[in-house]
Amino acid sequence: MTLLLSLGLSLMLTEFFELLLALLFKKRGRDLAVVALANLLTNPPLVFLWQLSGKNLWLLLAMEGLVVLIEGFCYQKCTNFKRPFLFALVCNLISFLIGELL
Amino acid sequence: MKRLLAILLIALTLALPAAADIAYEPPVTDFYAAVSEKVARIERHYLANAEAGYVAMREKPDGNVLSYYKNGEQLFVYGSYTSEGVLWGYIARDQKGELETPGWIKLEELSLLYTQVEFRQEHAGEQLKTDLSAFEWPAETEYVYIFEYPGCGEAKRKYELGGKDHTQMGNALSFHWKDEQGRQWAYIGYYMGQHYGFICLDDPQNPAPFAETTPNKLVGDVSLYPAKEVPGTVEAESIPKGSLKPLAGGLVAAAVGIAIGLLLAIFYGKKKEDRR
């Protein structure tokens, strides 16, 4: 799969699943925009660096941890989520597992 | 304590020669990692040779195509793996060098290159029973050309002799053989790095000792199918590999920039609301 296709597809799938999860967690309006933007901030660099590393699993796991922290920070500052880091962790864990299954 | 140190020293000494002989390890993909225990080592060079005129390298057997190679392109096959009765070769390097993302090609679409291995098998009966261990180069020899086998075409390496003691080089020489013109050749094995190949002992500084050569000779009675243009993907034909990286990097940077800008706008908007 080409790098560009991989970046685009990964972003689309992540946005889809994480927005779906946000809706399930009853997030609406501006909160959904923050979720979408947090994923736009973290997903493309993660996929890009992972592809450049030759798909190193340990690097992916380390970067996923960093992504949870960054997204959690975004939710903490830009939304009124009660547990922003937990929300980020759950969303990323689920989308990561779905990604692995696909 | 002294005994412990002695044991450690012995262990270290034993470990050093082993480290010098570390085997080649190919780049690892997810699929390779999953099946590596079932991969049989080959470590040989092949030429792409399919009836279609090109071969497809896939991310895994029957997976997505990573790239195409025209017939005649040289590929290094690290090992083979059987998937659903079909033998696939794990391609670790192409003509440009080590692959960033190795892939799999059906072995039936590749033809094994003739090398020193086959040459030594083919000419085993013609070997001269000479002891070459005391062999020394004439004083005026500055460098030697190392060939895959006599008559292969271009030398694989020019090895400079200067500045080093080569009195032990004879120990690395074997397979003493004479060509039709009476020139002596010897096979050099592991010596000061990897120099596997043949040296013309009588004319070591000649880069082209044969007027007629057969480069890219294949093993067995095999000939190359005509090469054809690979499928008309933009990637495969017009854009050299790797050139998408700057574009992808730029898009990633743009995405990050846009996301940060909009998140900051939301953050300050929320701050204002919270103050009210």
Side-chain angles (χ1 to χ4, degrees):
Chain A
M1 196 188 298
T2 69
L3 185 56
L4 287 178
L5 189 62
S6 171
L7 279 167
L9 199 63
S10 172
L11 181 63
M12 268 172 51
L13 288 171
T14 308
E15 291 284 10
F16 175 77
F17 287 115
E18 296 209 12
L19 285 172
L20 195 67
L21 284 165
L23 282 168
L24 289 173
F25 280 106
K26 295 179 181 167
K27 311 297 182 196
R28 300 290 184 268
R30 187 177 61 190
D31 290 349
L32 289 179
V34 174
V35 171
L37 288 171
N39 280 300
L40 183 64
L41 175 66
T42 56
N43 183 266
L46 178 137
V47 176
F48 186 61
L49 292 174
W50 183 56
Q51 294 267 354
L52 287 189
S53 76
K55 299 185 177 179
N56 183 307
L57 183 66
W58 295 110
L59 180 73
L60 177 66
L61 291 175
M63 287 194 300
E64 285 284 359
L66 193 64
V67 162
V68 169
L69 292 177
I70 294 170
E71 289 185 9
F73 178 76
C74 291
Y75 302 147
Q76 188 181 47
K77 295 292 174 189
C78 301
T79 68
N80 294 317
F81 291 0
K82 281 179 187 161
R83 293 189 181 88
F85 290 94
L86 182 64
F87 177 75
L89 177 68
V90 171
C91 283
N92 280 285
L93 196 63
I94 292 173
S95 68
F96 175 79
L97 291 175
I98 291 172
E100 285 298 298
L101 285 175
L102 292 176
Chain B
M1 188 65 184
K2 272 184 185 172
R3 186 178 287 176
L4 182 66
L5 277 174
I7 291 168
L8 281 173
L9 204 63
I10 289 166
L12 188 66
T13 319
L14 287 172
L16 283 176
D21 285 337
I22 287 170
Y24 169 75
E25 286 298 332
V28 173
T29 62
D30 289 350
F31 182 78
Y32 176 78
V35 299
S36 62
E37 285 182 6
K38 292 175 190 162
V39 172
R41 274 195 184 193
I42 295 181
E43 296 193 61
R44 295 290 304 266
H45 284 93
Y46 285 73
L47 293 189
N49 191 16
E51 257 188 280
Y54 58 85
V55 297
M57 184 175 77
R58 299 173 184 278
E59 60 181 358
K60 57 185 175 183
D62 291 322
N64 294 323
V65 175
L66 292 171
S67 51
Y68 294 96
Y69 294 100
K70 279 186 198 172
N71 282 359
E73 287 199 51
Q74 199 179 116
L75 302 160
F76 177 74
V77 177
Y78 173 74
S80 65
Y81 169 72
T82 306
S83 171
E84 295 178 8
V86 179
L87 203 57
W88 292 78
Y90 187 54
I91 313 299
R93 291 198 294 262
D94 62 12
Q95 285 183 181
K96 291 172 202 155
E98 188 152 280
L99 292 167
E100 204 175 286
T101 310
W104 300 83
I105 296 178
K106 283 179 188 167
L107 267 187
E108 64 183 26
E109 295 181 338
L110 302 171
S111 294
L112 185 61
L113 261 182
Y114 186 95
T115 64
Q116 46 83 15
V117 175
E118 285 73 30
F119 183 89
R120 287 192 291 158
Q121 283 170 0
E122 198 177 319
H123 297 272
E126 301 162 21
Q127 268 191 92
L128 304 171
K129 308 287 178 196
T130 323
D131 177 15
L132 292 170
S133 60
F135 178 84
E136 278 188 41
W137 295 106
E140 67 274 15
T141 314
E142 292 169 13
Y143 53 85
V144 297
Y145 280 103
I146 299 173
F147 295 85
E148 183 61 41
Y149 58 88
C152 68
E154 250 179 64
K156 62 196 271 190
R157 186 173 294 190
K158 181 183 178 184
Y159 184 62
E160 301 283 348
L161 297 176
K164 292 170 200 158
D165 174 19
H166 293 288
T167 49
Q168 296 302 309
M169 198 178 196
N171 288 324
L173 296 175
S174 62
F175 205 94
H176 192 199
W177 179 81
K178 270 188 185 175
D179 63 22
E180 286 176 353
Q181 296 168 51
R183 289 173 305 194
Q184 301 177 81
W185 290 77
Y187 174 76
I188 184 164
Y190 189 83
Y191 177 74
M192 290 195 183
Q194 294 183 21
H195 295 301
Y196 302 98
F198 276 87
I199 301 174
C200 183
L201 303 181
D202 294 323
D203 194 8
Q205 298 190 129
N206 184 354
F210 288 94
E212 278 184 29
T213 58
T214 44
N216 286 344
K217 189 176 166 183
L218 297 171
V219 172
D221 190 19
V222 178
S223 50
L224 272 183
Y225 289 108
K228 285 182 191 161
E229 286 301 310
V230 298
T233 57
V234 176
E235 237 186 306
E237 279 187 345
S238 57
I239 301 178
K241 268 184 204 170
S243 67
L244 287 174
K245 273 184 202 159
L247 175 64
L251 287 172
V252 169
V256 170
I258 290 168
I260 289 176
L262 292 173
L263 282 167
L264 282 173
I266 291 174
F267 171 68
Y268 286 114
K270 182 175 171 286
K271 222 174 173 183
K272 268 185 192 171
E273 272 177 28
D274 291 347
R275 271 191 214 133
R276 279 182 218 146

